[in-house]
């Protein structure tokens, strides 16, 4: 109902006949259904469209899992890879907050908290046996992730670019230390 | 014209970085000296691009200072690397802050500059033996 509110803030003398009729119709629809409908014909409330950053959030979480799997499969790499995994986890938390999704760590009352996903055996199975190969696979994943973050940063509204730019730059630094 | 302000701020940061690398370079040898020259060239190139962009838009470009106050004296390899890290972190911060302020056409330049500064900061941390060599959010104060 933002439409009708905006009308009321305008100069009434400049309202066209159509906009006044439209505003009245919209106000009527709001009174009957309480949702956004057109001329009173009831429509099921559509879910909000997914945020354009949700795929980036999913990819970021997948990177966290991948690092966890690699560190589990190759304990000698665990310490060196820890800061990179932590960075991706921090990125996921920041993206989740930016998108406005609930924090999985603080569930609403009455909801059973889900344990944080650890690396499952199948995820560890996907990690290369050779540590150099495993790091090479991470490098490939980071390169792809860098391209993804770059594209998101270039396409995003201005107010999201600082975070997306930092995520993009962090991924570039990960590539640097994995080389 | 207000849209040019973040680029003028970035130009001032690039001037300062070029000055700092002059001090860093003379304290480093061999591969590290070569790396410092390479890093300095990145800042010189970006400075030149910014000078062109601001001139095209008829915006007065800040000129570099003859000298800058440094937070510590650069006397050896260690302090040279420390200054290089500081410079790249600061440049990253300026470009990250510029990102939401610049027009969409300038966004790619700002993002590339943030990425370059973050990567050089990481290289210098590795050279200095600083662990971890990465930070989660480059350019964050």
């Amino acid at each position: 109902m933002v439409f009708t509110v905006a009308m009321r803030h305008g100069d009434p003398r400049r309202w066209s006949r159509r906009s006044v009729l439209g505003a009245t119709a919209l106000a009527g629809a709001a009174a009957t259904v309480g949702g956004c409908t057109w001329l009173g014909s009831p429509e099921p409330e559509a879910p909000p469209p997914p945020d354009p950053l949700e795929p980036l959030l999913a990819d970021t979480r997948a990177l966290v899992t991948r690092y966890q799997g690699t560190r589990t499969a190759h304990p000698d790499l665990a310490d060196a890879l820890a800061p990179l995994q932590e960075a991706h986890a921090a990125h996921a938390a920041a993206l989740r907050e930016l998108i406005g999704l609930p924090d999985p760590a603080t569930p609403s009352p009455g909801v059973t908290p889900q344990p944080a996903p650890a690396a499952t055996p199948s995820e560890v199975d996907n990690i290369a046996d050779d540590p150099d190969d495993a790091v090479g696979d991470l490098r490939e994943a980071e390169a792809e992730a860098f391209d993804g973050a770059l594209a998101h940063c270039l396409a995003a509204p201005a107010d999201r670019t600082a975070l997306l730019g930092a995520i993009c730059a962090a991924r570039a630094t990960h590539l640097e230390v994995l080389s | 014209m207000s849209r040019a302000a973040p680029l003028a701020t970035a130009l001032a940061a690039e001037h300062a970085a070029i000055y700092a690398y002059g001090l860093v370079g003379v304290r480093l040898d061999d591969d590290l000296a070569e790396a410092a020259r390479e890093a300095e060239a990145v800042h010189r190139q970006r400075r030149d691009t910014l000078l062109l962009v601001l001139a095209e838009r008829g915006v007065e470009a800040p000129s570099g200072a003859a000298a800058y106050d440094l937070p510590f004296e650069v006397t050896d390899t260690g302090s040279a690397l420390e200054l290089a890290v500081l410079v790249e972190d600061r440049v990253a911060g300026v470009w990250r802050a510029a990102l939401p302020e610049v027009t969409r056409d300038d966004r790619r330049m700002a993002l590339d500059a943030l990425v370059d500064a973050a990567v050089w900061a990481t290289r210098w941390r590795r050279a200095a033996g600083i662990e971890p060599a990465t930070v989660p959010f480059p350019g964050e104060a």
Side-chain angles (χ1 to χ4, degrees):
Chain A
M1 293 304 106
V2 174
F3 187 43
T4 54
V5 173
M7 293 279 194
R8 290 191 192 113
H9 284 116
D11 181 349
R13 285 167 301 185
R14 297 189 64 188
W15 286 2
S16 69
R17 179 176 158 74
R18 183 181 292 180
S19 71
V20 172
L21 286 175
T24 311
L26 282 170
T32 52
V33 190
C36 279
T37 61
W38 185 246
L39 295 176
S41 55
E43 275 176 26
E45 215 163 290
D51 192 287
L53 292 183
E54 281 185 26
L56 183 66
L57 174 58
D59 291 347
T60 306
R61 286 174 170 159
L63 281 168
V64 175
T65 308
R66 192 187 185 95
Y67 270 92
Q68 184 59 55
T70 306
R71 292 173 65 223
T72 306
H74 298 287
D76 287 350
L77 296 173
D79 286 350
L81 297 179
L84 309 189
Q85 182 183 343
E86 284 161 18
H88 289 300
H91 296 165
L95 284 169
R96 183 189 49 68
E97 198 177 323
L98 184 68
I99 292 170
L101 296 174
D103 183 354
T106 53
S108 22
V111 176
T112 313
Q114 299 294 313
T120 66
S122 70
E123 280 154 1
V124 176
D125 284 348
N126 286 334
I127 306 300
D129 291 334
D130 182 86
D132 289 343
D133 291 345
V135 170
D137 290 344
L138 284 179
R139 204 159 47 228
E140 222 167 276
E142 289 280 6
E144 207 175 300
F146 170 82
D147 289 343
L150 185 112
H152 275 286
C153 184
L154 294 178
D159 62 349
R160 291 181 157 193
T161 53
L163 174 62
L164 294 172
I167 291 174
C168 183
R171 290 173 175 184
T173 66
H174 294 180
L175 272 170
E176 180 67 24
V177 295
L178 292 173
S179 308
Chain B
M1 286 304 145
S2 63
R3 285 284 177 195
L7 295 187
T9 306
L11 175 58
E14 296 293 356
H15 280 313
I18 293 162
Y19 171 85
Y21 270 110
L23 302 176
V24 167
V26 297
R27 295 291 176 188
L28 299 177
D29 296 320
D30 306 326
D31 286 354
L32 289 179
E34 179 56 35
R37 275 193 290 276
E38 208 183 311
E40 185 179 340
V42 172
H43 293 290
R44 287 188 181 276
Q45 196 170 5
R46 201 143 275 132
R47 175 202 60 186
D48 294 346
T49 303
L50 283 168
L51 284 170
L52 272 178
V53 167
L54 293 177
E56 276 170 13
R57 295 176 196 176
V59 177
E60 197 181 339
S63 47
Y68 292 81
D69 285 336
L70 296 177
F72 49 83
E73 212 180 333
V74 179
T75 55
D76 53 12
T77 303
S79 50
L81 292 174
E82 198 182 338
L83 182 61
V85 171
L86 180 74
V87 162
E88 297 294 354
D89 279 347
R90 292 227 175 133
V91 169
V94 167
W95 281 110
R96 189 190 178 197
L99 266 176
E101 306 296 327
V102 297
T103 62
R104 219 166 250 272
D105 288 344
D106 293 334
R107 192 182 290 179
R108 183 60 194 254
M109 171 174 54
L111 183 54
D112 286 345
L114 167 58
V115 168
D116 282 343
V119 168
W120 274 107
T122 290
R123 285 179 185 157
W124 293 128
R125 280 194 192 89
R126 289 182 96 186
I130 298 169
E131 290 287 342
T134 56
V135 295
F137 297 99
E140 193 173 67

